[in-house]
Amino acid sequence: MKIAVFPGDGIGPEVTREAVRVLQALDLPGLVLLDGVVGGAAWRRHGHPLPPQTLETARAADAILFGAVGDFECDRLERHLRPEQAILGLRKELGLFANLRPAKLFAGLEDASALRPEVASQIDLLIVRELNGDVYFGEKGIRTLDDGRRQGWDLMSYAEDEVRRIAHLAFRAAQGRRGKLCSVDKANVLETSQLWREVVIEVGCAYPEVELSHMYVDNAAMQLVRNPGQFDVVVTGNLFGDILSDQASMCVGSIGLLASASLGSDQTAGGTKGLYEPIHGSAPDIAGQDKANPMATILSAAMLLRHSFGREAEAARIESAVARTLADGIRGGDLGGSNGTRAIGDAVVERL
Ligand code: IPM
Ligand code: MG
């Protein structure tokens, strides 16, 4: 079990440390941890956010546990040298096209949600976000027009095969859940979305038992806070998925709780290479202060065991330990509590 551990910037190292302790506490046979430096930390040391040796380590590993990248000292660097390129580069280089972002309310956190408790308690959804295309990877630039005005531009596009593979994965995920799939797009305005919708409908013919619906992204944002319980699996493009998953995190109480898996093959359980990371950023304002909630990273480690190693039992043990930690009232500042990063990690390890 070769796991590459890339802590990154800001709170990344602190939260990753706790997730690694949780993995180690499970006494997994053949667990090997490989180190790698990414993000601003890598730029400082090697002049690049994703140095070749880190990419090599990622290729050699069965799975990658990733902390966070982002560092405001790097905001003025040329785009290809910015910390974010580490995560974007890994997703692209490793062909990790499917990002699973589950959001479910933990018992006892009804009051932590930004939504009314009776609304929040209904949340149990999975966002399947496409990760290798869209405006994220289209041509882009800032140019000067003939009349001297500067213009920023980013090309949004999806090829049908890119839509097809993420749609298949999402339909299969829905089969394994409550059998409902909502495809989110902006087909009333964007041609990219028009094709997206057509391809999702075509793919849907192979999954007659899954109930397929379509929603414009603005409506989806509204429905997510109005009645999140209506969603089972949501499939959407890279940009919309980025935005909706941050929104979903506040519906379950804190972005410090949302884990993610980025997968490169058309299967969602067992034996597939993947990258696992909390959906939150590097939070430089609280870095190094023992204030960050490590639960999103710990839950990402659970997803790692499930999706890359087929270790459902151990994954469930971690999730249950996190749930019991929360139920016992052990919470970080993000949830109005006063427990630090280390203490939360300790509490989860004890409950394992
Ligand atoms: C995420 C993050 C990244 C993204 C950033 C850090 C590039 O916001 O994983 O959601 O936009 O995908
Ligand atoms: Mg994001």
Side-chain angles (χ1 to χ4, degrees), residues 40-255:
W43 173 76
R44 278 198 192 83
R45 237 199 277 167
H46 304 288
H48 197 279
L50 182 58
Q53 57 269 42
T54 300
L55 191 53
E56 275 318 298
T57 305
R59 289 193 201 282
D62 302 307
I64 300 148
L65 183 66
F66 192 96
V69 287
D71 178 332
F72 43 69
E73 277 178 32
C74 300
D75 282 352
R76 288 179 177 272
L77 293 174
E78 278 177 71
R79 184 154 304 279
H80 75 279
L81 292 176
R82 294 208 198 161
E84 289 76 10
Q85 295 305 315
I87 186 62
L88 298 176
L90 283 166
R91 290 170 181 170
K92 194 71 172 175
E93 289 292 327
L94 302 177
L96 306 171
F97 67 88
N99 190 208
L100 310 184
R101 298 189 159 186
K104 185 176 175 173
L105 194 86
F106 283 99
L109 288 191
E110 291 79 5
D111 295 322
S113 169
L115 306 180
R116 284 197 308 278
E118 68 274 19
V119 177
S121 61
Q122 304 302 311
I123 304 173
D124 180 2
L125 59 86
L126 172 68
I127 296 180
V128 177
R129 170 189 177 198
E130 201 289 330
L131 216 48
N132 277 183
D134 206 347
V135 277
Y136 270 67
F137 293 100
E139 277 181 54
K140 57 186 73 222
I142 298 177
R143 60 193 167 201
T144 305
L145 301 174
D146 290 345
D147 63 8
R149 287 178 303 147
R150 286 170 304 157
Q151 181 189 55
W153 59 284
D154 300 83
L155 180 69
M156 175 183 272
S157 73
Y158 266 121
E160 58 182 318
D161 54 307
E162 293 176 303
V163 182
R164 207 168 283 128
R165 63 183 181 177
I166 192 75
H168 275 292
L169 193 140
F171 275 106
R172 283 193 203 131
Q175 281 177 325
R177 292 175 48 105
R178 300 193 302 279
K180 281 171 49 173
L181 178 63
C182 179
S183 171
V184 171
D185 62 37
K186 188 71 185 169
N188 51 346
V189 178
L190 304 172
E191 289 300 301
T192 309
S193 284
Q194 185 61 40
L195 180 76
W196 173 282
R197 189 176 283 218
E198 283 167 22
V199 174
V200 171
I201 291 170
E202 285 162 24
V203 171
C205 295
Y207 304 88
E209 70 290 4
V210 174
E211 186 195 314
L212 174 65
S213 62
H214 304 271
M215 206 180 266
Y216 298 138
V217 64
D218 49 349
N219 185 25
M222 194 256 286
Q223 296 296 337
L224 202 52
V225 293
R226 191 186 76 90
N227 174 19
Q230 71 186 285
F231 296 109
D232 179 15
V233 179
V234 171
V235 64
T236 190
N238 208 343
L239 182 64
F240 299 156
D242 179 45
I243 299 167
L244 292 178
S245 55
D246 266 35
Q247 192 185 338
S249 74
M250 276 324 286
C251 299
V252 298
S254 166
I255 198 164

